[in-house]
Amino acid sequence: MEFLNQLSLFLQSTVQMGTPILLGTLGGILNEKVGHTNLGVEGMMLMGACMGFMAGVNTGNPVLAILIAGLAGALCSLIYAVITVTFMGNHTVTGLVLTIFGTGLSSFLGQDLTQANLPSSVIDPLSAITVPGLSKIPVLGNMLFVQSIYVYISIALAILLAVYMKHTKPGLCMRMIGENPGAADASGINITAYKYAHICAGGFLCGMGGAYLSLVYVPRWQEQMTAGMGWIAVALVIFATWDPMKAIFGAYLFGAMRALGLKIQNFSFPLFGKEITVAAQFLDMIPYIMTIVVLIVITLRKKKEYQAPAALGSPYFREDR
Amino acid sequence: MLKIQKKQGLTPKQEALLRIGTVVLALICAGIIMGCLGYNPFKMYVQLVKGALGSKYNITATVAKCIPLLIMALGVSIVFRMKFWNIGAEGQFYMGAFGATWVWLTLPDSVPGIVMIPLMLLTSFVCGGLWALVPAILKHKLDTSETLVTLMMNYIAVKWITYLQYGPWKDPAERNMPKIFKFTDNATLPKVFGVHIGWIIALVLVVVIYILMKYSKFGFEISVLGENPQTARYAGMNVTKIMIIAVLLSGGICGMAGMIQATGNEGRLANDISAGLGFTAIIAAWLAKLSAPTILLVSFLFAILLQGGSFLQVSMQIPASVSEVIQGIILFFVLASEFFANYKIVYQKKEVR
């Protein structure tokens, strides 16, 4: 019984760890689907975490805090969009710079916030809701029915994004831009508007992802509190083969790895009569190694729906068509 | 109606004007932002330059910051020429530093520095090179994206160092903090003119890579491979061999930077000694258009910004992260300014039908 309790709590923290990663991944998918690799996810998440926390402390309004976090991320990605879409700058370098900029600016703006605490008017509405009855389900109860509303919002957003991409006309246009911008342009789609809108929406999601950490998970502001989650999100976009539904599972899987790394310092198991000990750092490596393996697998399989958008990373200049 | 057109490249004079104009504009913009946040931007810039170049001590610190940055930027510039986007300088840096530390821990302490240091340098080169070879092989055999593989391998390398730091290589004498053993004198880079000899290695590398890229057959082959792999194949070049050598060289040089940073600047290996310089190096190499002498200049400017930024913390109580903000703003401007080097906006009175 004790083991089942432990497992139940572990699964609960898996989802909590996975939520910021999920939101970052959804943001990354939106960027990549219009043909832009955005390596600035980490920077946008940090800006979201910082600004969301600042808004939470100063206004005491959780909705406003989340909105401002998203807007901070969206503003960062607007810079990225201006440079890569309008000025046709290099995606990789611009993304890296965005991460450096976001990391620096968030530490800078957040210097006075490290001692601050959120008022209870922000913390209470965002703390875990226990769904009566259902939360008592063994093992899965805690994971599915004792979570912050933020978690449910993130799942809803993922489903919404999947429906948008597969079943709506703008979603189809967006995918077309990522695959063949020339053809999309010829069919009358306003490429620039689409790119701007999706890149900024992606930034909004990344900002929200960061704010989950500072508003719900920790809930305080610490410098560089995302600790590489943005980079995992960049990798997860590929891991999930650009599919928001798979991103949910991918994010929780990676969340589980992180939760495991935090929970267990050293991991021992018997093998052929010997006690084998694995240090926690090796568990931390797993997400990255798995991403490489997934990269290899998707390139080997060459199945069409698992491939990156064809025009990913190349700037679109109308007269080059 | 405004219309965007491609244009021929700029003359050197125009190019210089564009670059300087961009940086000035960026500094003005950063100044306005700092002004709005309640700091005096003029005083800030003066203090920044003073902090980087104001005294002999400060210049020494700036040069020391520049060395690993410069070496890594040189390293990545080699493979960037063949459009192999190695953003794994950080990982190669750590594996190089790991290799060097391993040699020092394995050999007896009685080995003199004159033997020890070259051995460490060599091992760091090999380790960094091999670490870079993994994504290269994956790219070559399976066409896997090298950008993402190198990125992931950065984290694997950092975790590996963290493991060593908290586990097998932890110095028992350091009770409170998990730290790796401090290098003994025979494994510490000697100083010339107040800075460890890493600066001589870096300058030699600038010259060697400049000559290699500009005047050697190998440099020419890399450029052709970058422009068009088909052409390279038709011309009878051994594409695999060129790629492997270039990647080994690139990763190896980044690995050497790790050894130099650990033994010259830090005194011990740790999981945070790169301080993100691997990413800054990529940006520096790209900004310098992969030309070795320009990389020297750009890296030094970055070092001024970094060192000056950390000085601001002391002199004006501005957090050191301000240098990242200014760096970001300058780079955003420079990235956007590329557009004006390649395109022009023309005004057409009537739409031509």
Side-chain angles (χ1 to χ4, degrees):
Chain A
M1 219 35 223
E2 176 56 25
F3 173 75
L4 284 184
N5 262 336
Q6 285 288 322
L7 183 67
S8 169
L9 288 174
F10 172 71
L11 288 175
Q12 187 188 20
S13 65
T14 288
V15 169
Q16 289 166 352
M17 269 292 189
T19 299
I21 306 179
L22 171 61
L23 286 164
T25 309
L26 295 178
I29 291 175
L30 274 173
N31 273 281
E32 297 211 357
K33 275 289 175 187
V34 288
H36 286 244
T37 331
N38 193 341
L39 297 183
V41 177
E42 178 90 356
M44 294 188 281
M45 283 177 77
L46 278 168
M47 279 305 290
C50 176
M51 296 311 288
F53 186 78
M54 193 187 274
V57 170
N58 288 325
T59 67
N61 183 337
V63 179
L64 212 59
I66 296 173
L67 275 181
I68 286 180
L71 283 178
L75 267 177
C76 286
S77 60
L78 182 64
I79 302 176
Y80 174 87
V82 169
I83 293 171
T84 55
V85 179
T86 304
F87 291 119
M88 290 178 257
N90 180 309
H91 296 184
T92 311
V93 179
T94 311
L96 282 177
V97 173
L98 185 56
T99 288
I100 293 178
F101 177 75
T103 311
L105 192 60
S106 62
S107 314
F108 184 77
L109 295 174
Q111 55 173 320
D112 300 325
L113 293 174
T114 43
Q115 300 302 321
N117 280 312
L118 282 171
S120 58
S121 61
V122 178
I123 293 190
D124 293 342
L126 293 177
S127 56
I129 306 166
T130 310
V131 181
L134 290 171
S135 61
K136 295 283 179 288
I137 299 173
V139 185
L140 297 178
N142 276 331
M143 175 173 94
L144 296 174
F145 301 108
V146 187
Q147 294 290 6
S148 162
I149 186 143
Y150 216 124
V151 171
Y152 301 122
I153 292 175
S154 72
I155 297 172
L157 282 169
I159 296 169
L160 211 67
L161 187 57
V163 173
Y164 170 74
M165 275 166 61
K166 283 197 189 112
H167 302 291
T168 69
K169 193 166 168 257
L172 179 73
C173 296
M174 168 189 92
R175 284 187 288 147
M176 191 171 173
I177 291 168
E179 299 297 338
N180 190 340
D185 197 4
S187 69
I189 298 169
N190 185 343
I191 296 207
T192 312
Y194 261 86
K195 284 192 167 184
Y196 266 92
H198 287 92
I199 291 172
C200 289
F204 193 95
L205 292 177
C206 294
M208 270 183 75
Y212 174 81
L213 290 169
S214 63
L215 294 176
V216 184
Y217 189 78
V218 179
R220 287 178 84 91
W221 160 251
Q222 293 154 1
E223 268 184 37
Q224 303 193 19
M225 68 188 308
T226 52
M229 282 188 178
W231 294 110
I232 292 193
V234 170
L236 246 169
V237 173
I238 299 139
F239 187 88
T241 58
W242 297 269
D243 179 344
M245 295 309 282
K246 285 188 199 159
I248 300 178
F249 297 103
Y252 295 158
L253 191 67
F254 280 48
M257 303 290 172
R258 269 189 106 92
L260 206 65
L262 284 182
K263 234 184 181 81
I264 309 172
Q265 284 309 311
N266 289 308
F267 179 67
S268 302
F269 61 94
L271 187 77
F272 302 121
K274 271 188 202 163
E275 191 77 0
I276 307 284
T277 304
V278 182
Q281 286 85 15
F282 290 107
L283 294 174
D284 291 347
M285 284 182 195
I286 295 173
Y288 307 107
I289 295 173
M290 264 168 55
T291 305
I292 296 177
V293 172
V294 169
L295 269 173
I296 295 170
V297 171
I298 59 170
T299 37
L300 274 182
R301 271 162 81 184
K302 300 250 183 279
K303 209 169 158 185
K304 214 176 161 201
E305 67 227 55
Y306 292 153
Q307 297 307 316
L312 189 61
S314 43
Y316 175 66
F317 181 50
R318 204 176 215 180
E319 295 187 3
D320 276 349
R321 254 189 305 174
Chain B
M1 188 198 162
L2 291 174
K3 200 166 171 303
I4 297 166
Q5 277 179 359
K6 266 202 171 153
K7 69 175 172 194
Q8 293 301 312
L10 299 169
T11 59
K13 201 177 159 192
Q14 282 174 319
E15 170 127 25
L17 212 67
L18 177 71
R19 301 273 171 234
I20 294 168
T22 308
V23 174
V24 170
L25 212 64
L27 288 176
I28 293 173
C29 178
I32 292 173
I33 293 175
M34 292 308 291
C36 294
L37 290 169
Y39 299 98
N40 180 345
F42 300 103
K43 194 178 164 209
M44 182 185 78
Y45 285 130
V46 171
Q47 290 290 326
L48 200 138
V49 175
K50 219 169 131 190
L53 305 168
S55 71
K56 187 168 179 278
Y57 172 80
N58 293 2
I59 295 174
T60 319
T62 306
V63 172
K65 274 222 165 69
C66 177
I67 294 165
L69 180 63
L70 168 60
I71 297 178
M72 279 194 277
L74 289 170
V76 292
S77 75
I78 298 173
V79 285
F80 278 11
R81 257 179 210 279
M82 58 174 202
K83 301 218 164 66
F84 180 92
W85 302 110
N86 171 19
I87 56 172
E90 292 262 320
Q92 291 139 24
F93 171 97
Y94 280 113
M95 291 321 272
F98 153 73
T101 313
W102 176 77
V103 168
W104 169 67
L105 287 170
T106 313
L107 293 180
D109 277 351
S110 55
V111 176
I114 194 115
V115 182
M116 181 70 97
I117 286 169
L119 269 178
M120 286 166 75
L121 206 56
L122 186 71
T123 322
S124 66
F125 184 88
V126 173
C127 287
L130 290 177
W131 197 248
L133 201 58
V134 178
I137 290 172
L138 288 177
K139 159 112 177 164
H140 187 67
K141 294 276 179 212
L142 308 168
D143 202 26
T144 320
S145 156
E146 74 280 15
T147 317
L148 289 153
V149 178
T150 47
L151 184 64
M152 293 303 118
M153 288 180 70
N154 286 342
Y155 285 92
I156 300 174
V158 172
K159 297 287 173 200
W160 171 239
I161 305 293
T162 314
Y163 163 69
L164 294 171
Q165 190 176 337
Y166 284 76
W169 286 3
K170 185 172 179 287
D171 186 354
E174 299 280 347
R175 288 215 189 91
N176 304 323
M177 294 278 258
K179 282 183 175 170
I180 292 174
F181 300 97
K182 202 167 169 47
F183 288 117
T184 45
D185 284 346
N186 63 341
T188 305
L189 292 180
K191 288 189 172 177
V192 179
F193 300 129
V195 187
H196 62 80
I197 56 162
W199 68 270
I200 301 178
I201 300 173
L203 287 183
V204 169
L205 277 173
V206 171
V207 176
V208 169
I209 288 174
Y210 179 70
I211 295 171
L212 190 72
M213 287 297 141
K214 192 133 196 186
Y215 299 107
S216 79
K217 183 170 159 244
F218 176 67
F220 174 70
E221 285 175 334
I222 287 185
S223 303
V224 175
L225 194 54
E227 287 302 320
N228 191 339
Q230 296 301 332
T231 315
R233 268 190 206 100
Y234 287 136
M237 292 176 194
N238 187 342
V239 173
T240 314
K241 196 177 129 197
I242 299 166
M243 183 165 156
I244 287 177
I245 295 176
V247 168
L248 274 177
L249 216 69
S250 169
I253 290 172
C254 293
M256 277 163 60
M259 179 269 182
I260 289 167
Q261 174 78 348
T263 62
N265 285 345
E266 300 285 338
R268 57 164 37 114
L269 174 63
N271 65 356
D272 59 352
I273 57 170
S274 77
L277 287 179
F279 292 115
T280 314
I282 291 161
I283 295 164
W286 180 83
L287 277 183
K289 297 241 174 343
L290 313 181
S291 133
T294 323
I295 289 177
L296 174 63
L297 178 74
V298 174
S299 304
F300 193 67
L301 291 176
F302 270 120
I304 290 178
L305 211 53
L306 289 172
Q307 176 58 29
S310 53
F311 181 75
L312 286 182
Q313 196 154 21
V314 188
S315 70
M316 285 177 79
Q317 280 80 49
I318 298 179
S321 51
V322 75
S323 66
E324 285 168 346
V325 178
I326 299 176
Q327 200 183 337
I329 293 172
I330 295 177
L331 290 168
F332 284 140
F333 272 82
V334 173
L335 279 159
S337 79
E338 282 295 297
F339 174 82
F340 296 99
N342 299 319
Y343 300 94
K344 59 183 172 190
I345 299 171
V346 288
Y347 180 72
Q348 284 179 334
K349 262 195 174 157
K350 267 184 196 164
E351 197 147 336
V352 188
R353 282 185 192 273

